[in-house]
């Protein structure tokens, strides 16, 4: 017997696991970073900031040829005499001449040209009017885009190789970043995209309180890229052609809202991209505003870190999402995003700009103003890796048709939050609908008979799924701010659903406990029988038989041999259980051992008897089952967390497999219906309602593109799930109409009582299985013109009196019918006082001849529950005409007898419907189907003789 503290130990293990996986990291970052390394980083960042402050546009031109002429100077550029000819570099890590020997700076001009092309494609009207050429493309023609780009974008990309091929072996990292300790044997760098296509997801965050710089001329706002804002984004890039998981990058950069242009870059120990970002901009106006903005924001961060006691434990602008003490070599990225204008026709830019400002103000601080449909957030992307030398470009027009992609599409964060609120409220309504259906079903399954039909694992699947939802929403609520109230609503609904389903599941477990005891007892008896057979075979081969065994029967003339007298043993006390329930196996064991019919205590045994080796297994408590559910849920949570790092196709297979297993919740109920020979355990409202409600969340994620989880839609997988649920419902419908074992081979399931047997006229009443029920047998053979009273037939007793003409006396009616249920003839017996041959007698003779040809008659009996007349079809055993077989089924023409033919017809679909009207108990009493089913909802006893009945 297990220890009583097993549940406590399981709970302790669960708490330890939760503490290990969810406890915050309270380590001091300063204690993990050596002081000298922190000082080196501080000096490097300060030096890079000084270079950014002193350099001008054109100082970084690594792709300039030696014979090129210098570009025309701008207002802030240095004189031409001070400008060097040929390639020019700046003293920033990754941008210096020594570092430039490894980076593919030859593609810098190509990158800038692709940025201009993407911007021209976003504003085709400006491109057509030649106002967006290479020299003046920074003008204020980008109006009509979102001023604040905070939101989520997702789309597809294609890979294009760079001009020169670069390998990891061509870089000397110890020279580029001497302060970092790189691991030996780097091989190929991480974050290297090798596939031709894939998916990308961008989560852009542009804080309103972040850094902003606006350039003004003579106190007025100048046109062009005069306004710059600090921005950052998290990019998740997925390579469909690679077996590796998706990679995540943290990028920092600048947003020029009047042009809708965003420039982002990664930073690491080998590439200070944030300090050299202005030099990667497409034009000089972008450079000037970006330079002033970064000088302010980066300087504040460096100054704050200098005053902090932690210093620089890491790179504040690092591109890695996780904290790590090592320095893995990874590909760097420079990303350009061009926001697309609204699809709204406006005649004046000023009106459009004011409309955008009002729209963003209403989204950020709602006042109830009518704003209509919120435009989507759209952008084009071109990403360039200067060290791994490749380009990633968003897929869309004009290079690709719109059916292949629309570049990057998403929604603003405020709109995303509003959509998430709506979805959470709708999901809470779905869970509440499940609760309502469950409460209604619990009223229908309120008795032991109806509860015993329910599959434990079907309800357990629903409970397990709602428990996972409860845990997931609780985890979401810990970090939720705006969506906190909808999250709490879903959490409350999921908790109530868990509570109700758990209560009903415990009731099912308690009621089905005898079934489990019987199964355990059968297994133990089978094991004991196998041991007895093996021990008996061993004893016959080792022990000589000098006298017959006591357990073997003796001949009648043999004198019993007196066994040697044994000392009298004291009788063991007899303990009767409080419920008086004595198993048949215990009675048989006591009788064979010569004891009383009452069993001995479970712990008592006769002197000299060895201790039992197989003690009966104690029953499993419901709390242990709940503990297994909890452990299984935790394991599934950890496995799902690990699955986020799997390749996309394996992750999709994992999600689809879990969905298929979850929506197989009706399979255990189908199996239980077959095993118990019960037609229906749940109401159709419950089964159809639960199926639809549990499919609705899958419809949202599998069919809608802009769902809150940004999951890829998969309509084919959803059709498979819907078809699978539909098949399960049809199987249960077939079980309810045609029988729970319809189409199941007889040898696959255990024998069970058939409440709808085929009745045959064998003139035996209740004598054996297959005989007629009590009250349907006739006296004599064949059809008689008069009825004879029988004590076992209520109908015959009322119809067989002497010439009494009382109205309560009824004559037996015999109707020859077909399987369609239509009566072809009716034979009414006349009173015993009448005599002679009349027209009615001749009609009866004709009907008897037809009856013999048809082979089936309709007999009447009173239902003991409703006291109404019950007509049932009975087959004639004395009919040898093969026409009876053709009456039911054409396949019965080859049968050897009409009874077999009729039985085969009665086993068909039409015969099943004919037998659904009545139910016959093992004690051979017959009732209406609705009457007995209603009775068995409350008692599993015969209404007449109180004999125990097998469950439906």
């Amino acid at each position: 017997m297990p220890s009583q503290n097993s549940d406590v130990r399981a709970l302790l293990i669960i708490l330890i696991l939760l503490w290990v996986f969810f406890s915050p990291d309270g380590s001091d970052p300063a204690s993990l970073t050596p002081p000298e390394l922190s000082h080196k980083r501080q000096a490097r960042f300060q030096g890079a900031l000084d270079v950014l402050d002193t350099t001008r546009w054109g100082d970084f031109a690594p792709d300039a040829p030696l014979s090129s002429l210098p570009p025309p100077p701008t207002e802030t550029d240095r004189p031409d005499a001070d400008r060097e000819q040929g390639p020019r570099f700046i003293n920033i890590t990754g941008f210096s001449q020594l570092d430039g020997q490894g980076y593919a700076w030859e593609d810098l001009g190509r990158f800038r040209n692709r940025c201009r092309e993407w911007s021209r494609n976003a504003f085709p009207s400006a491109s057509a009017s030649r106002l967006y050429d290479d020299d003046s493309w920074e003008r204020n023609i980008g109006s009509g885009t979102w001023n604040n780009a905070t939101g989520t974008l997702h789309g597809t990309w294609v890979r294009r190789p760079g001009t020169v091929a670069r390998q990891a072996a061509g870089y000397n990292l110890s020279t580029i970043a001497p302060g970092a300790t790189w691991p030996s044997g780097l091989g190929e760098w991480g974050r290297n995209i090798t596939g031709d296509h894939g998916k990308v997801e961008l989560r852009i965050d542009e804080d309103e309180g972040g850094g902003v710089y606006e350039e003004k001329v003579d106190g007025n706002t100048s046109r062009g890229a005069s306004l710059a804002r600090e921005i950052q984004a998290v990019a998740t890039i997925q390579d469909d052609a690679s077996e590796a998981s998706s990679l995540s990058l943290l990028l920092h950069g600048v947003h020029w809202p009047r042009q809708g242009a965003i420039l982002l870059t990664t930073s690491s120990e080998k590439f200070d991209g944030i300090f050299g970002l202005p030099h990667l901009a497409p034009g000089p106006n972008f450079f000037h505003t970006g330079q002033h903005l970064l000088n302010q924001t980066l300087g504040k961060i460096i100054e704050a870190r200098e005053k902090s006691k932690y210093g620089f434990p890491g790179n504040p602008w690092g591109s890695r999402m996780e904290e790590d003490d090592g320095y893995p070599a990874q590909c760097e990225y420079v990303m350009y995003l061009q926001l697309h204008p609204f699809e709204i026709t406006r005649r004046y830019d000023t009106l459009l700009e004011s409309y955008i400002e009002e729209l963003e103000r209403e989204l950020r601080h709602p006042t109830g103003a009518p704003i209509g449909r919120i435009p989507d957030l759209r952008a084009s992307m071109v990403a360039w890796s200067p060290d791994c030398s490749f380009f990633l470009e968003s897929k869309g027009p004009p290079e690709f048709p719109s059916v292949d992609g629309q570049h990057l599409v998403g929604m603003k964060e405020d709109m995303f939050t509003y959509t998430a609120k709506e979805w959470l409220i709708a999901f809470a309504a779905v869970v509440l609908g499940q609760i309502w259906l469950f409460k209604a079903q619990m009223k229908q399954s309120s008795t032991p008979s109806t509860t015993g039909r329910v599959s434990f694992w079907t309800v357990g699947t629903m409970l397990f799924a709602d428990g996972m939802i409860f845990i997931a929403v609780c985890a979401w609520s810990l970090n939720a701010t705006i969506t906190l109230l909808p999250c709490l609503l879903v959490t409350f609904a999921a908790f109530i659903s868990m509570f109700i389903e758990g209560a009903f599941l415990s009731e099912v477990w308690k009621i089905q406990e005898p079934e489990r005891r019987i199964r355990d007892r059968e297994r133990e008896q089978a094991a004991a029988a196998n041991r007895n057979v093996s021990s008996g075979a061993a004893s016959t081969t080792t022990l000589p038989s000098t006298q017959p065994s006591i357990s073997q029967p003796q001949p009648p003339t043999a004198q019993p041999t007196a066994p040697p007298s044994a000392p009298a043993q004291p009788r063991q006390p007899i303990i009767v259980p409080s419920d008086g329930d004595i198993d048949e196996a215990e009675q048989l064991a006591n009788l064979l051992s010569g004891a009383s019919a009452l069993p001995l205590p479970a712990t008592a045994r006769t002197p000299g008897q060895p201790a039992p080796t197989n003690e009966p297994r104690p029953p499993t408590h419901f709390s242990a089952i709940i503990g297994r559910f909890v452990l299984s849920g935790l394991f599934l949570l950890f496995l799902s967390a690990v699955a986020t790092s799997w390749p996309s196709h394996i992750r999709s297979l994992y999600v689809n497999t879990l969905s298929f297993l979850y929506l197989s919740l009706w399979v255990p109920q189908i199996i239980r219906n077959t095993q118990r020979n019960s037609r229906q355990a749940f109401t159709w409202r419950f089964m159809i309602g639960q199926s639809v409600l549990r499919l609705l969340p899958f419809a949202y994620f599998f069919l809608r593109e802009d769902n809150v989880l940004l999951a890829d839609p998969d309509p084919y997988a959803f059709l498979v799930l819907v078809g699978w649920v539909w098949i399960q419902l049809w199987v249960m419908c077939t079980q309810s109409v045609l029988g729970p074992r319809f189409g199941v081979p007889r040898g696959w399931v255990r024998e069970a009582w058939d409440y709808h047997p085929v009745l045959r006229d064998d003139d035996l009443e209740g004598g054996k299985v297959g005989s007629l029920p009590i009250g349907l047998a006739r006296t004599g053979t064949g059809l008689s013109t008069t009825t004879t009273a029988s004590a076992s037939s209520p109908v015959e007793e009322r119809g067989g009196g002497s010439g009494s003409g009382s109205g309560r006396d009824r004559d037996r009616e015999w109707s020859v019918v077909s399987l369609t249920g239509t009566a072809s003839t009716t034979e009414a017996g006349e009173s015993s006082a009448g005599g002679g041959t009349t027209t009615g007698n001749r009609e009866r003779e004709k009907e008897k001849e037809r009856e013999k040809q048809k082979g089936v008659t309709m007999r009447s009996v009173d239902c003991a529950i409703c006291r109404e007349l019950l007509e049932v079809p009975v087959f004639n055993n004395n009919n040898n005409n093969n026409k009876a077989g053709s009456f039911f089924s054409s396949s019965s023409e080859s049968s050897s007898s009409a009874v077999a033919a009729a039985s085969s017809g009665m086993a068909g679909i039409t015969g099943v419907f004919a037998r659904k009207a009545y139910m016959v108990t093992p004690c051979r009493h017959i009732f209406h189907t609705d009457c007995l089913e209603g009775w068995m909802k409350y008692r599993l006893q015969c209404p007449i003789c109180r004999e125990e009945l097998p469950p439906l």
Side-chain angles (χ1 to χ4, degrees):
M1 182 175 180
S3 173
Q4 298 293 335
N5 296 328
S6 59
D7 297 337
V8 178
R9 290 196 298 267
L11 180 60
L12 183 60
I13 293 175
I14 294 173
L15 293 177
I16 292 176
L17 291 175
L18 292 176
W19 178 78
V20 169
F21 283 92
F22 296 103
S23 60
D25 187 10
S27 58
D28 188 357
S31 62
L32 302 178
T33 304
E36 59 274 8
L37 181 58
S38 178
H39 294 327
K40 289 182 180 179
R41 284 177 178 166
Q42 177 181 346
R44 192 185 84 209
F45 293 154
Q46 186 62 49
L49 182 62
D50 295 338
V51 172
L52 175 62
D53 187 28
T54 56
T55 53
R56 298 293 180 265
W57 173 254
D59 288 347
F60 181 71
D63 56 340
L66 293 175
S67 59
S68 65
L69 296 177
T74 60
E75 298 178 359
T76 56
D77 284 341
R78 293 177 299 180
D80 295 343
D82 298 336
R83 190 181 294 273
E84 299 178 358
Q85 301 296 321
R88 295 178 293 276
F89 298 88
I90 55 178
N91 190 20
I92 297 177
T93 303
F95 294 80
S96 64
Q97 185 174 5
L98 183 62
D99 303 338
Q101 297 176 358
Y103 289 86
W105 292 119
E106 296 87 349
D107 290 331
L108 178 59
R110 177 184 173 185
F111 171 71
R112 288 171 175 169
N113 292 332
R114 292 299 290 174
C115 295
R116 297 187 183 99
E117 291 178 9
W118 258 202
S119 299
R120 284 195 294 265
N121 294 334
F123 299 93
S125 59
S127 177
S129 60
R130 298 185 179 274
L131 295 176
Y132 213 27
D133 53 15
D134 294 343
D135 296 331
S136 60
W137 79 290
E138 305 155 6
R139 296 180 180 180
N140 188 21
I141 61 174
S143 59
T145 62
W146 290 103
N147 294 325
N148 189 312
T150 301
T152 304
L153 294 166
H154 58 90
T156 57
W157 54 262
V158 292
R159 183 184 186 274
R160 304 188 187 279
T163 304
V164 293
R166 295 295 184 186
Q167 303 293 333
Y171 292 87
N172 189 353
L173 297 181
S174 59
T175 303
I176 297 176
T181 304
W182 304 96
S184 60
L186 289 175
E188 290 298 327
W189 286 359
R191 300 193 307 207
N192 189 13
I193 303 299
T194 58
D196 295 333
H197 56 86
K199 301 180 180 65
V200 62
E201 176 186 328
L202 286 174
R203 297 182 181 272
I204 304 175
D205 182 15
E206 185 175 359
D207 191 4
E208 289 185 348
V212 178
Y213 174 78
E214 184 174 7
E215 189 179 65
K216 296 184 178 181
V217 178
D218 298 332
N220 298 323
T221 301
S222 62
R223 299 184 64 84
S226 58
L227 179 63
R229 291 178 180 172
E230 184 183 13
I231 194 173
Q232 65 178 12
V234 176
T236 302
I237 304 175
Q238 178 180 310
D239 188 356
D240 292 342
S242 175
E243 295 294 332
S245 60
S246 58
L247 55 95
S248 297
L249 311 172
L250 181 59
L251 302 100
H252 299 78
V254 181
H255 175 208
W256 293 272
R258 290 173 182 163
Q259 283 69 34
I262 300 174
L263 187 62
L264 302 164
T265 182
T266 59
S267 298
S268 65
E269 296 296 322
K270 66 181 179 66
F271 186 72
D272 288 337
I274 189 64
F275 293 95
L277 179 68
H279 293 278
L280 304 178
N285 288 337
F286 288 94
F287 170 83
H288 297 313
T289 53
Q291 180 189 37
H292 286 86
L293 174 66
L294 292 179
N295 279 331
Q296 295 177 4
T297 57
L298 300 182
K300 291 180 180 179
I301 294 176
I302 293 175
E303 183 180 358
R305 289 298 182 96
E306 289 177 354
K307 297 179 180 179
S308 174
K309 66 176 181 179
Y310 298 135
F312 285 87
N315 192 339
W317 308 277
S319 60
R320 303 189 62 202
M321 299 298 298
E322 66 279 357
E323 295 293 337
D324 198 338
D325 295 337
Y327 304 99
Q330 298 175 342
C331 297
E332 307 296 336
Y333 289 87
V334 180
M335 183 178 295
Y336 178 80
L337 299 175
Q338 175 60 60
L339 299 181
H340 289 196
F342 289 0
E343 297 180 356
I344 299 176
T345 303
R346 295 282 182 172
R347 297 184 60 182
Y348 303 102
D349 293 343
T350 55
L351 296 179
L352 181 57
E353 291 179 359
S354 61
Y355 169 76
I356 294 175
E357 292 177 359
E358 294 176 1
L359 188 60
E360 290 187 331
R361 189 182 306 110
E362 180 65 25
L363 288 176
R364 181 68 64 179
H365 307 287
T367 59
I371 56 178
R373 180 184 176 275
I374 306 299
D376 295 332
L377 181 63
R378 296 175 177 269
S380 304
M381 179 198 75
V382 53
W384 171 47
S385 178
D387 51 356
C388 294
S389 184
F390 61 84
F391 290 82
L392 301 180
E393 298 178 359
S394 58
K395 204 172 183 180
E399 297 187 1
F400 294 92
S402 58
V403 294
D404 293 341
Q406 292 286 347
H407 292 287
L408 304 184
V409 183
M411 61 181 70
K412 292 270 294 180
E413 182 186 19
D414 307 298
M415 194 63 191
F416 181 82
T417 304
Y418 179 76
T419 304
K421 288 181 180 180
E422 286 185 333
W423 182 83
L424 288 173
I425 295 174
F427 187 68
V430 170
V431 178
L432 293 176
Q434 297 175 7
I435 295 174
W436 178 77
L437 290 174
F438 223 98
K439 289 291 293 180
Q441 179 60 42
M442 290 178 66
K443 294 180 180 179
Q444 298 292 331
S445 303
S446 58
T447 62
S449 176
T450 53
T451 307
R453 307 176 192 176
V454 176
S455 172
F456 177 84
W457 295 111
T458 294
V459 183
T461 302
M462 299 180 185
L463 174 62
F464 185 80
D466 293 343
M468 297 297 295
I469 293 172
F470 174 77
I471 296 176
V473 178
C474 285
W476 191 350
S477 301
L478 295 178
N479 297 324
T481 53
I482 302 177
T483 60
L484 179 60
L485 293 180
C487 285
L488 294 180
L489 178 61
V490 178
T491 305
F492 173 76
F495 177 78
I496 296 299
S497 179
M498 287 174 51
F499 180 79
I500 295 176
E501 292 169 354
F504 183 68
L505 191 65
S506 65
E507 190 68 19
V508 173
W509 179 265
K510 181 177 65 175
I511 291 175
Q512 296 179 3
E513 178 65 28
E515 298 181 21
R516 292 188 295 274
R517 288 205 307 264
I518 292 174
R519 289 196 298 265
D520 295 341
R521 188 182 303 117
E522 290 176 353
R523 287 194 295 265
E524 293 174 359
Q525 290 176 356
N530 294 333
R531 287 194 300 269
N532 292 337
V533 169
S534 59
S535 62
S539 61
T540 54
T541 56
T542 56
L543 296 178
S545 58
T546 57
Q547 59 181 7
S549 175
I550 298 177
S551 60
Q552 296 177 352
Q554 300 294 328
T557 57
Q559 298 294 331
T561 304
S565 60
Q569 300 292 342
R571 291 183 59 86
Q572 298 292 336
I574 298 175
I575 301 177
V576 181
S578 59
D579 56 356
D581 186 11
I582 303 174
D583 297 332
E584 295 180 359
E586 296 177 349
Q587 296 180 9
L588 180 60
N590 291 324
L591 289 174
L592 292 177
S593 61
S596 173
L598 296 176
L600 293 176
T603 57
R605 62 178 184 268
T606 57
Q609 179 182 359
T613 58
N614 56 336
E615 292 290 341
R617 186 172 56 183
T620 305
H621 296 284
F622 184 71
S623 58
I625 301 298
I626 295 299
R628 297 173 187 174
F629 277 22
V630 173
L631 291 177
S632 301
L634 291 176
F635 172 77
L636 186 60
L637 284 177
F638 297 147
L639 184 62
S640 301
V642 175
T644 57
S645 62
W646 293 350
S648 59
H649 61 281
I650 299 180
R651 187 167 60 247
S652 300
L653 179 62
Y654 171 75
V655 172
N656 293 336
T657 302
L658 286 184
S659 303
F660 185 85
L661 293 177
Y662 166 55
L663 293 177
S664 302
L665 71 165
W666 302 118
V667 173
Q669 187 60 56
I670 294 173
I671 297 175
R672 182 164 183 82
N673 291 344
T674 305
Q675 292 176 345
R676 287 175 54 90
N677 200 28
S678 58
R679 289 192 301 270
Q680 186 174 338
F682 299 108
T683 61
W684 282 111
R685 180 179 63 180
F686 177 81
M687 291 187 291
I688 296 177
Q690 287 285 350
S691 300
V692 172
L693 291 178
R694 295 184 182 273
L695 276 171
L696 285 179
F698 291 93
Y700 174 78
F701 290 109
F702 279 74
L703 299 180
R704 186 166 179 175
E705 294 184 359
D706 54 343
N707 55 77
V708 294
L709 297 182
L710 299 180
D712 296 330
D714 193 351
Y716 297 105
F718 179 72
L719 289 178
V720 171
L721 296 178
V722 172
W724 174 234
V725 175
W726 184 257
I727 290 174
Q728 297 176 65
L729 292 177
W730 266 109
V731 171
M732 288 189 293
C733 179
T734 304
Q735 288 182 331
S736 178
V737 176
L738 303 180
R741 297 186 176 183
F742 180 79
V744 179
R746 188 180 298 271
W748 287 14
V749 291
R750 300 176 60 180
E751 291 293 335
W753 177 255
D754 185 12
Y755 280 96
H756 306 280
V758 178
L759 301 179
R760 301 181 181 88
D761 188 9
D762 54 3
D763 290 336
L764 296 176
E765 193 172 88
K768 60 185 180 62
V769 175
S771 60
L772 287 179
I774 298 175
L776 286 183
R778 298 180 299 177
T779 58
T781 59
L783 282 173
S784 59
T785 58
T786 60
T787 57
T788 306
S790 173
S792 61
S793 179
V795 174
E796 290 175 350
E797 289 178 0
R798 286 192 294 271
S802 58
S804 174
S806 175
R808 61 182 178 86
D809 295 335
R810 291 183 295 176
D811 296 333
R812 182 186 299 273
E813 294 180 354
W814 306 88
S815 301
V816 182
V817 298
S818 65
L819 286 182
T820 58
T822 60
S824 60
T825 60
T826 303
E827 178 185 358
E830 297 184 1
S831 173
S832 59
T837 302
T838 62
T839 304
N841 292 335
R842 286 194 300 268
E843 292 295 331
R844 283 195 298 271
E845 292 296 333
K846 294 180 180 180
E847 296 303 331
K848 285 189 291 182
E849 291 299 329
R850 296 176 183 175
E851 180 184 290
K852 292 179 181 179
Q853 295 178 1
K854 299 295 184 181
V856 62
T857 59
M858 294 295 293
R859 301 189 185 181
S860 305
V861 68
D862 282 345
C863 175
I865 299 177
C866 66
R867 307 302 298 171
E868 295 291 337
L869 194 65
L870 171 63
E871 294 184 353
V872 295
V874 179
F875 291 95
N876 299 325
N877 275 352
N878 56 357
N879 186 13
N880 296 324
N881 193 350
N882 285 338
K883 294 181 179 180
S886 62
F887 180 75
F888 296 99
S889 176
S890 61
S891 62
S892 61
E893 295 177 357
S894 59
S895 302
S896 59
S897 63
V899 176
S903 300
S904 64
M906 216 37 197
I909 297 179
T910 311
V912 170
F913 281 104
R915 290 185 281 123
K916 284 276 289 184
Y918 63 85
M919 294 179 65
V920 180
T921 62
C923 51
R924 310 308 297 171
H925 292 107
I926 189 168
F927 307 91
H928 285 109
T929 297
D930 295 338
C931 296
L932 189 59
E933 285 184 350
W935 172 274
M936 295 181 68
K937 288 183 179 180
Y938 301 95
R939 288 198 179 192
L940 292 178
Q941 291 180 344
C942 177
I944 297 177
C945 63
R946 301 304 188 215
E947 184 177 339
E948 294 293 333
L949 299 179
L952 292 176

